Amino acid sequence: GAGVSQSPSNKVTEKGKDVELRCDPISGHTALYWYRQSLGQGLEFLIYFQGNSAPDKSGLPSDRFSAERTGGSVSTLTIQRTQQEDSAVYLCASRKPTGGTEAFFGQGTRLTVV
Amino acid sequence: GDSVTQMEGPVTLSEEAFLTINCTYTATGYPSLFWYVQYPGEGLQLLLKATKADDKGSNKGFEATYRKETTSFHLEKGSVQVSDSAVYFCALKGIYNQGGKLIFGQGTELSVKP
């Protein structure tokens, strides 16, 4: 596709359940980011993948959060045992590998934990 | 570590008013600087960028100048329109990359009234 695609666009889940959020980056973009946007908050960095390098997981808020990127393309963000404070919009972005170029964002997945 | 600070919103202006949204940063060396915009119901889009000191980024009537001496990248527009109503995010990408991730400010909500 032409842009970064995220699915689902909305997800309502019960507290304690696991959820998986998917991101399809732009073809050829080797860099992929996950961010979280909570109500009234800025964009919180979660994790960054660059090619075959080890991901930068420094932003993951707890060990309930994990992400993988298969084949250097599609990425899945998994949240285990969801809590109400996990409710947010989860944004994925991708970028070409060379520095200074813009990151393209998907529409996000709005997660609501009830 | 690197950080970005934006003026708090919401900012409410009348159509054709002058807009300034302040952004200052803390970073080593000369990071790349960006303004992203999020229109209601849409994903984040790059508005403009500057990659070295004294560069001016511009797009859609918006401008921002990279000021190393004041570590600032303030966003300006001479005459805002109702269609400019959105949330604006200032961001940087550090020269030491910190994994290549973008660091965002809190976002400033702009509301333009007719």
Side-chain angles (χ1 to χ4, degrees):
Chain A
V4 177
S5 177
Q6 291 187 246
S7 60
S9 55
N10 281 284
K11 176 73 175 178
V12 180
T13 190
E14 292 181 353
K15 178 181 172 181
K17 301 282 190 183
D18 297 352
V19 294
E20 286 189 352
L21 312 180
R22 177 186 168 104
C23 173
D24 277 281
I26 294 173
S27 178
H29 284 196
T30 59
L32 186 147
Y33 310 78
W34 283 98
Y35 286 85
R36 178 168 69 176
Q37 186 177 19
S38 304
L39 186 63
Q41 302 294 313
L43 285 137
E44 177 188 10
F45 167 77
L46 298 177
I47 188 168
Y48 162 65
F49 295 90
Q50 174 58 65
N52 296 320
S53 303
D56 175 357
K57 304 180 182 180
S58 60
L60 294 178
S62 76
D63 58 8
R64 295 187 296 105
F65 288 72
S66 63
E68 62 177 20
R69 189 176 184 191
T70 53
S73 181
V74 172
S75 177
T76 302
L77 177 69
T78 301
I79 309 173
Q80 296 178 308
R81 305 181 303 281
T82 52
Q83 304 295 313
Q84 288 186 329
E85 61 263 29
D86 299 334
S87 296
V89 176
Y90 289 83
L91 294 168
C92 176
S94 71
R95 185 172 61 83
K96 292 179 182 178
T98 53
T101 55
E102 69 176 286
F104 292 83
F105 282 80
Q107 298 274 51
T109 294
R110 181 175 297 277
L111 175 66
T112 304
V113 181
V114 298
Chain B
D2 295 352
S3 66
V4 175
T5 303
Q6 284 181 239
M7 66 184 285
E8 291 189 15
V11 173
T12 302
L13 295 173
S14 297
E15 210 166 19
E16 299 183 1
F18 184 85
L19 168 71
T20 300
I21 300 178
N22 290 338
C23 171
T24 57
Y25 67 90
T26 300
T28 303
Y30 292 81
S32 296
L33 301 173
F34 307 85
W35 276 101
Y36 279 81
V37 59
Q38 187 176 35
Y39 297 104
E42 298 186 16
L44 272 136
Q45 306 170 26
L46 179 69
L47 180 60
L48 52 85
K49 68 179 181 182
T51 57
K52 59 183 189 292
D54 300 324
D55 267 2
K56 178 184 284 188
S58 62
N59 186 25
K60 299 182 181 179
F62 290 88
E63 292 184 341
T65 301
Y66 189 143
R67 302 280 189 206
K68 180 62 177 175
E69 63 275 14
T70 54
T71 60
S72 65
F73 194 54
H74 304 322
L75 182 68
E76 296 182 336
K77 186 173 185 181
S79 177
V80 293
Q81 305 300 311
V82 173
S83 56
D84 294 327
S85 298
V87 181
Y88 293 81
F89 292 91
C90 186
L92 72 81
K93 189 168 78 67
I95 60 167
Y96 297 113
N97 245 353
Q98 295 188 9
K101 63 179 180 275
L102 290 170
I103 297 169
F104 286 86
Q106 294 278 70
T108 302
E109 182 179 0
L110 170 66
S111 178
V112 180
K113 306 297 185 185

